[in-house]
Amino acid sequence: MKKSLILAMFLASSAFSQSESLIEALKNGKASGDVTMFFESRHVNEGAKSTYYNNTSWMVGSVGLNYESDFYKNFKAVVGFRGAAPVYEGDREFDTGHGRGDSTERIYEKDRFLLSNLYLQYQAYDTNVKIGRQEMITDWVGKINDGVRITNNSISNLELDALYTRSKGRAYYKEMWAFKRLNEKKGLYRVGATYKFNDSLSARIYGLYAPSLFKAVGTKLNYDGQINESFGAGGMIHYAQSKEERANLDDGKAFEVLGYVSYKDNKLTLAHTRSGKKNGWGSMNLGGDQIVPFEEGDAMYNRDARTYYAMFSTMIEKLSLTALYGTTTYKMQNDNKDYKQNEFSAWLSYPITPDLKAFVVYDQTFKAQPYLPTITQIGVGLSYSF
């Protein structure tokens, strides 16, 4: 009993360990950022070119700055900016639909300076609230959003999570897109609950709602086990289904299952995903998705998409390497013919110094299909963090 009381007093004092005044909170804040150079080249190997699928090459310099205050009366503020400028473009006159020049394929011409973060955070005991522009990563929501997110862990082993996102955008070193309203300014709501049975097994149930567009429910079971100090194994099963509210639109479905084994720094994952036969995912990916593992993965966004893939991750000294190969069979909206495209993605990262890293992103697709030509894409970057 005495130990429990001491622990409770310690947790309470930790929860309120913060600056004593607003000025002190600002002085005790932390600034960080990065300076990144990124080059990308895309080549269409086979199939019809389009505005998006074209031969392009570009290099962009990008600077990100962030400031995070200390807590004061359980509140803190976070603000961040990112600016980018093209250094090289293979074709400065190519019209991508987002500006002129190859780089506007990813870094939109009118969006080269963006507010990447601007939120107020409240944290007390087991409740955390963020209001404003922030990164949101969860089922069917991704990237940077303008909205509200609340998490609560008051009940032992149970996490409750609720969010609302009004608009979504991207402010990264290789993607800068303006923030646009979701669902005709009506936004997207998500609620979820995750229960941990033990250190390895957890289950989640969640719901999505976009007014006048769709509602959906999903469930996910995760197992992440450690056999001994060197070996591990785990898996995941996920299913979701939408109820579309627009006339003459079929409901969406999503299913994924994966399993993995690991040995020290090596991990092998095998997985299968499937989308609804009539309407793919429906409207569930309005706010994004956490299902597509490839660098591009465009074939997976079609209806009746069946994907099988294998992924291997390892560390070679300081070099981090992840390689992924998979195949997707899918149908288009206007016929019942099966189409197939394979894809290989690889990500490499090497820390030159603790603050400076070099990285490479490679992607190649195989078997050209209507609206999906085969491409070879390579990105090379150098990033200094401070």
Side-chain angles (χ1 to χ4, degrees):
M1 182 67 179
K2 184 177 180 180
K3 289 183 178 179
S4 299
L5 181 61
I6 293 173
L7 179 60
M9 293 175 63
F10 172 76
L11 291 175
S13 63
S14 297
F16 288 91
S17 178
Q18 52 192 311
S19 297
E20 296 181 356
S21 70
L22 180 59
I23 299 300
E24 184 181 346
L26 295 174
K27 288 181 178 179
N28 292 338
K30 298 178 181 179
S32 61
D34 71 272
V35 179
T36 303
M37 294 291 292
F38 183 73
F39 169 84
E40 183 177 277
S41 173
R42 171 183 283 181
H43 181 75
V44 175
N45 301 321
E46 183 183 356
K49 295 179 182 178
S50 64
T51 302
Y52 181 73
Y53 296 110
N54 215 303
N55 296 334
T56 56
S57 61
W58 51 271
M59 179 182 288
V60 163
S62 176
V63 177
L65 298 173
N66 295 278
Y67 171 78
E68 180 178 320
S69 75
D70 191 18
F71 278 101
Y72 171 62
K73 294 186 181 298
N74 299 325
F75 288 92
K76 78 172 179 180
V78 177
V79 61
F81 305 89
R82 181 163 291 278
V87 176
Y88 162 79
E89 291 177 305
D91 186 347
R92 293 182 177 275
E93 299 301 320
F94 180 55
D95 187 353
T96 64
H98 308 292
R100 291 195 175 275
D102 284 353
S103 69
T104 62
E105 179 183 54
R106 304 278 195 188
I107 312 292
Y108 293 1
E109 189 171 11
K110 294 182 179 180
D111 303 322
R112 289 173 178 162
F113 182 82
L114 291 173
L115 194 64
S116 56
N117 279 306
L118 182 62
Y119 66 85
L120 186 66
Q121 181 176 352
Y122 172 81
Q123 184 171 322
Y125 300 104
D126 300 316
T127 300
N128 188 39
V129 182
K130 292 182 180 180
I131 303 174
R133 180 163 295 181
Q134 58 190 285
E135 190 169 61
M136 294 182 178
I137 307 295
T138 186
D139 302 293
W140 304 109
V141 179
K143 307 302 180 184
I144 304 172
N145 292 257
D146 292 334
V148 181
R149 186 168 190 179
I150 304 170
T151 57
N152 177 271
N153 299 93
S154 297
I155 301 175
S156 179
N157 299 320
L158 179 66
E159 179 179 89
L160 302 176
D161 184 16
L163 66 82
Y164 166 75
T165 171
R166 183 184 65 174
S167 54
K168 175 186 172 184
R170 306 188 184 195
Y172 304 109
Y173 65 84
K174 69 172 183 176
E175 293 177 319
M176 294 192 69
W177 305 355
F179 289 77
K180 294 185 177 180
R181 295 290 185 92
L182 296 174
N183 187 27
E184 299 178 347
K185 300 183 180 181
K186 298 174 185 176
L188 172 68
Y189 298 84
R190 180 195 177 277
V191 293
T194 303
Y195 185 80
K196 291 186 66 175
F197 297 96
N198 51 48
D199 291 338
S200 302
L201 182 64
S202 66
R204 177 186 302 162
I205 185 170
Y206 63 86
L208 300 163
Y209 177 56
S212 303
L213 185 60
F214 81 99
K215 46 183 170 284
V217 293
T219 183
K220 180 180 286 187
L221 185 68
N222 280 285
Y223 178 77
D224 186 12
Q226 197 66 32
I227 299 172
N228 55 40
E229 292 184 359
S230 299
F231 286 93
M236 180 271 291
I237 299 176
H238 177 208
Y239 178 79
Q241 181 170 340
S242 75
K243 177 65 177 178
E244 302 294 324
E245 298 187 0
R246 290 177 293 179
N248 303 318
L249 195 60
D250 291 303
D251 298 338
K253 296 179 181 180
F255 172 77
E256 61 175 332
V257 58
L258 67 81
Y260 76 84
V261 291
S262 63
Y263 174 71
K264 294 184 177 178
D265 293 327
N266 307 289
K267 184 177 181 180
L268 175 65
T269 301
L270 300 177
H272 168 60
T273 74
R274 182 182 292 265
S275 69
K277 292 184 177 181
K278 295 182 178 181
N279 192 27
W281 294 336
S283 303
M284 287 189 289
N285 64 322
L286 171 69
D289 75 272
Q290 308 302 322
I291 295 177
V292 177
F294 303 99
E295 180 65 17
E296 293 296 318
D298 295 332
M300 294 182 68
Y301 293 92
N302 289 282
R303 73 180 181 95
D304 198 17
R306 292 141 283 161
T307 302
Y308 295 87
Y309 67 84
M311 179 167 60
F312 180 71
S313 300
T314 189
M315 290 288 296
I316 306 173
E317 298 294 337
K318 295 181 179 181
L319 177 67
S320 172
L321 167 65
T322 297
L324 166 67
Y325 184 82
T327 180
T328 299
T329 303
Y330 64 94
K331 290 183 174 66
M332 298 173 61
Q333 290 295 339
N334 56 354
D335 64 42
N336 283 315
K337 178 182 176 182
D338 274 342
Y339 299 87
K340 179 182 285 189
Q341 188 164 88
N342 303 336
E343 185 165 356
F344 172 77
S345 300
W347 301 267
L348 297 89
S349 178
Y350 184 83
I352 300 172
T353 70
D355 301 318
L356 181 67
K357 71 172 182 178
F359 56 94
V360 175
V361 181
Y362 181 85
D363 191 77
Q364 185 171 354
T365 58
F366 308 87
K367 296 186 178 180
Q369 302 294 351
Y371 310 107
L372 282 181
T374 59
I375 63 170
T376 298
Q377 181 174 289
I378 185 168
V380 180
L382 189 66
S383 184
Y384 175 75
S385 301
F386 55 90

